[in-house]
Amino acid sequence: MMNFRQRMGWIGVCLYLLASVATFYYVFEINQKYNRLTLEHVEQAKQAQEHSLPGDPASSLNLPSSWTHSLKMRLLSFPFWLWGTIFLIPYLQVFLFLYSCTRVDPKTVGYCILPICLAVLCNRHQTFAKASNQISQLQLIDT
């Protein structure tokens, strides 16, 4: 029999996954519309360039770019694996936390979260080092 915390954990996992699916659908739907608008803009720019005179200096595309455009171009030049890492790690951390809320033992909730996991592992290592130090001191006293 599940307790209240586990039921709420499963509800949270389901809502989180549902929100993720809705977000991905929205992002890719926006992306498709953006691609159509971009293609229309490129076609209009190409037509405008064809109608301008070839020797006209005003027709060249030497417009000063804004800092937002420059920032967007630099951010978009990052590799896909970096963007995947930036968005995937927090996404998985929240999912694993919600999933850990579905466990029977409330003491294990949150062990999947990376900072907590690292803290637990470091604490175990320090405890092990302290215990081995105490054992070696006892052996020195016994001899």
Side-chain angles (χ1 to χ4, degrees):
M1 186 100 179
M2 288 195 297
N3 59 20
F4 180 75
R5 181 186 46 79
Q6 287 177 293
R7 287 188 193 114
M8 292 308 293
W10 280 114
I11 290 172
V13 167
C14 292
L15 289 175
Y16 188 70
L17 291 176
L18 185 66
S20 300
V21 169
T23 302
F24 284 124
Y25 175 75
Y26 179 74
V27 165
F28 288 118
E29 186 67 27
I30 293 286
N31 188 21
Q32 186 179 8
K33 290 179 184 178
Y34 176 73
N35 284 342
R36 275 189 262 141
L37 291 173
T38 303
L39 287 175
E40 290 174 5
H41 179 69
V42 168
E43 288 174 1
Q44 288 174 357
K46 185 177 179 182
Q47 289 174 356
Q49 189 177 16
E50 287 174 356
H51 292 301
S52 65
L53 297 173
D56 188 12
S59 66
S60 64
L61 298 175
N62 292 332
L63 300 174
S65 61
S66 66
W67 66 272
T68 57
H69 180 69
S70 175
L71 180 66
K72 285 179 187 177
M73 295 313 293
R74 286 181 189 250
L75 289 177
L76 290 175
S77 68
F78 287 150
F80 178 75
W81 63 266
L82 182 66
W83 283 110
T85 304
I86 288 171
F87 286 108
L88 195 62
I89 288 177
Y91 176 82
L92 287 176
Q93 290 296 292
V94 172
F95 175 76
L96 290 174
F97 174 73
L98 289 172
Y99 184 72
S100 71
C101 289
T102 63
R103 301 213 176 186
V104 177
D105 187 15
K107 293 180 182 176
T108 60
V109 170
Y111 278 177
C112 305
I113 299 175
L114 194 59
I116 295 174
C117 181
L118 291 174
V120 168
L121 289 175
C122 290
N123 191 16
R124 286 182 186 170
H125 178 69
Q126 288 174 354
T127 305
F128 178 73
K130 187 187 249 185
S132 64
N133 239 357
Q134 290 173 353
I135 289 172
S136 66
Q137 287 175 355
L138 286 174
Q139 289 173 352
L140 289 175
I141 294 172
D142 288 339
T143 55

